[in-house]
């Protein structure tokens, strides 16, 4: 075997390294702004006021007990939707871990406690983006209360998006528990 028939040493080493350590491809996509999600969730609203939520230790414990096990969350923003001086409900913008990165989504709870279909604002994973499909998101629409938000029982999974489905559903459970503990009494006023 002559010198011209062999691969240079550095090329062989690089080829071996690439073969052993594949680099995952992450596709981060922003789909909606918070403002666009608010309008999609409450099209009749003419304004949104951001809330500062401060829970007591007892409220935190109650929310955790109601919501059940949770994936890591990164941030939460809450807004009250208004039409004139009439409160319509709340919009929550939450971030839960998918498999390796965070999914930003928004969901609304109207004044009577009914959920909207979630809106996916940003998806940062290479797999599982199927949670943006309307059919999956519509499973949440109109549900009321935690007994209607069980993973695999009420909210069906999507093959290839198991963790995304599970974590967003668990995150929505946490938001409903938060609403029940801290905001429901104020929903009428």
């Amino acid at each position: 075997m002559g010198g011209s028939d062999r691969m240079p040493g550095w090329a062989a080493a690089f080829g071996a390294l690439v073969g052993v350590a594949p680099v995952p491809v992450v596709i981060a996509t922003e789909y909606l702004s918070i403002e666009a999600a608010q309008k999609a969730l409450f099209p009749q609203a003419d304004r949104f006021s951001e809330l500062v939520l401060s829970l007591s230790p007892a409220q935190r414990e109650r929310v955790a007990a109601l919501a059940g096990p949770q994936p890591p969350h990164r941030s939460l923003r809450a807004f009250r939707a208004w039409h004139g001086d009439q409160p319509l409900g709340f919009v929550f913008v939450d971030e839960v871990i998918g498999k390796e990165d965070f999914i930003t989504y928004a969901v609304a709870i109207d004044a009577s406690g009914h959920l909207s279909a979630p809106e996916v604002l940003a998806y940062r994973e290479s797999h599982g983006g199927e949670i943006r499909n309307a059919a999956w998101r519509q499973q949440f629409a109109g549900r009321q209360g935690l007994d209607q938000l069980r993973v695999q029982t009420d909210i069906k999974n999507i093959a290839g998006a198991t963790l995304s489905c599970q974590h967003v559903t668990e995150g929505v459970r946490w938001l409903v528990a938060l609403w029940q503990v801290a905001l429901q009494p104020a929903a009428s006023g």
Side-chain angles (χ1 to χ4, degrees), residues 55-186:
L55 301 180
S56 69
Q59 286 176 312
R60 277 190 223 115
E61 286 179 26
R62 182 72 181 137
V63 169
L66 288 170
Q70 288 293 301
H73 291 256
R74 183 163 61 185
S75 67
L76 170 67
R77 292 179 70 186
F79 304 86
R80 185 180 287 239
W82 298 89
H83 180 76
D85 59 355
Q86 171 91 24
L88 301 173
F90 298 92
V91 173
F92 299 94
V93 178
D94 188 21
E95 292 184 298
V96 292
I97 196 77
K99 181 177 180 182
E100 297 175 359
D101 210 337
F102 285 90
I103 301 165
T104 305
Y105 70 98
V107 69
I109 301 175
D110 70 16
S112 63
H114 291 96
L115 278 170
S116 69
E119 294 287 343
V120 178
L121 280 64
Y123 196 83
R124 301 169 183 92
E125 301 274 2
S126 61
H127 294 84
E130 297 86 355
I131 67 165
R132 288 192 62 242
N133 292 344
W136 186 80
R137 294 181 303 109
Q138 282 299 319
Q139 295 181 88
F140 293 85
R143 293 191 185 270
Q144 187 175 24
L146 294 166
D147 60 338
Q148 297 180 6
L149 287 171
R150 295 168 303 217
V151 177
Q152 298 292 357
T153 302
D154 303 307
I155 306 298
K156 303 301 179 203
N157 190 31
I158 300 172
T162 303
L163 290 176
S164 296
C165 292
Q166 180 178 342
H167 293 172
V168 169
T169 303
E170 290 167 349
V172 171
R173 284 185 59 81
W174 188 79
L175 295 172
V176 170
L178 175 68
W179 180 81
Q180 287 180 352
V181 170
L183 298 172
Q184 184 176 13

